[in-house]
Amino acid sequence: MDATRIVPGLIPLPKTEVPGLGTPPAAGGPSFGDVLKDSLASVNDLQHQADRAITDLATGGPTSLHDTMLALEKADLSFRLMMQVRNKIVEAYQEVVRMQV
């Protein structure tokens, strides 16, 4: 909706283009949302692998304590990294919201 219709007498600002904003991703390159989804899926897979390793260890399956601890540490490290990335995204969003127009 055009702002000049909402507020009569309002002078529209000229449209300027900022490189990188509002442009689609480069041909063949994944979007930011796709990268985030893939990362979350990867963290989720590592969590499931750690759960399976714990179950196998508890039930006498084909896994060793060493392999179970490695799976747990991988899952923990990837989860911590994901949380830090989420915190940075939230901080950036809050900074954009605080910007005065």
Side-chain angles (χ1 to χ4, degrees), residues 50-95:
D51 288 343
R52 279 193 300 272
I54 291 171
T55 303
D56 285 346
L57 183 68
T59 59
T63 187
S64 67
L65 179 61
H66 179 74
D67 292 336
T68 302
M69 290 305 296
L70 282 175
L72 284 170
E73 287 302 315
K74 280 184 189 178
D76 181 51
L77 188 61
S78 66
F79 184 76
R80 285 189 209 187
L81 177 63
M82 180 197 62
M83 291 304 295
Q84 290 299 319
V85 169
R86 181 198 66 94
N87 291 342
K88 290 293 182 182
I89 291 171
V90 169
E91 282 179 29
Y93 173 76
Q94 289 172 344
E95 187 69 28

Side-chain angles (χ1 to χ4, degrees), residues 3 10-11 13-14 16 93-101:
L10 184 67
I11 300 170
L13 294 173
T16 58
Y93 173 76
Q94 289 172 344
E95 187 69 28
V96 168
V97 168
R98 283 192 296 260
M99 282 184 188
Q100 293 183 359
V101 181

